[in-house]
Amino acid sequence: QVQLVESGGGLVQAGGSLRLSCVASGSIFSINDMAWYRQAPGKQRDLVAIISSIRGTNYADSVKGRFTISRDNARNTVYLQMNSLKPEDTAVYYCYVSSTLTSRSTIGTWGQGTQVTVSS
C-alpha cells in the first residue's frame, strides 16, 4: 500500500559526497517518521538518521557532522546528503517510512536498498 523508490547510490572516492533520495507513494494520508538505515556485509542493519515531524532529527554518532537528513513533505521524499565519505560508510542504504494510510492504519515500509561504495 506504500511503495518506496530509492536512488542516488554509487561508487565514490573517500572524501567525496553522495545524495540519496527516497520517494514514497501509495494510499498515504500522512507520513510520520522517515529514516535511513544501512547494512554492511556480515553486519546488522543500523540506523543512520531519522527525521520526525514531532521529534526532529537524530543521527548515528558515526555520521554526525557529515550526513544531513531532510524531507520534502509536498513530495513525500526524504533525502540523505552524505559528505566527507569514508570507506567504512560502504553499505547498502535502506529508506524506511512510517506512514498513516487513508484507511487510518499505520504501517512501516522499507525501500529496496541502494548500494554505496566508498573507495580509499
Side-chain angles (χ1 to χ4, degrees):
Q1 289 169 309
V2 175
Q3 298 79 42
L4 302 180
V5 177
E6 302 173 12
S7 61
L11 173 65
V12 65
Q13 289 187 331
S17 298
L18 284 174
R19 189 194 195 204
L20 306 183
S21 300
C22 174
V23 181
S25 63
S27 304
I28 299 171
F29 175 74
S30 64
I31 292 180
N32 309 315
D33 297 343
M34 306 183 86
W36 289 95
Y37 287 74
R38 67 186 181 188
Q39 187 168 19
K43 296 188 176 181
Q44 66 181 19
R45 189 174 297 186
D46 292 324
L47 178 66
V48 175
I50 186 168
I51 184 166
S52 168
S53 57
I54 298 175
R55 293 179 292 274
T57 60
N58 195 26
Y59 296 90
D61 288 342
S62 59
V63 307
K64 283 180 180 177
R66 300 187 298 122
F67 291 10
T68 302
I69 190 170
S70 61
R71 61 192 283 177
D72 183 338
N73 291 327
R75 292 181 169 84
N76 289 343
T77 301
V78 61
Y79 304 98
L80 185 68
Q81 178 66 43
M82 305 185 292
N83 298 328
S84 303
L85 282 160
K86 304 176 181 180
E88 51 263 44
D89 294 318
T90 295
V92 177
Y93 284 69
Y94 296 90
C95 174
Y96 176 83
V97 172
S98 170
S99 55
T100 300
L101 304 181
T102 52
S103 64
R104 299 303 189 267
S105 60
T106 300
I107 65 169
T109 307
W110 289 95
Q112 80 281 5
T114 184
Q115 177 70 47
V116 171
T117 302
V118 185
S119 63
S120 57

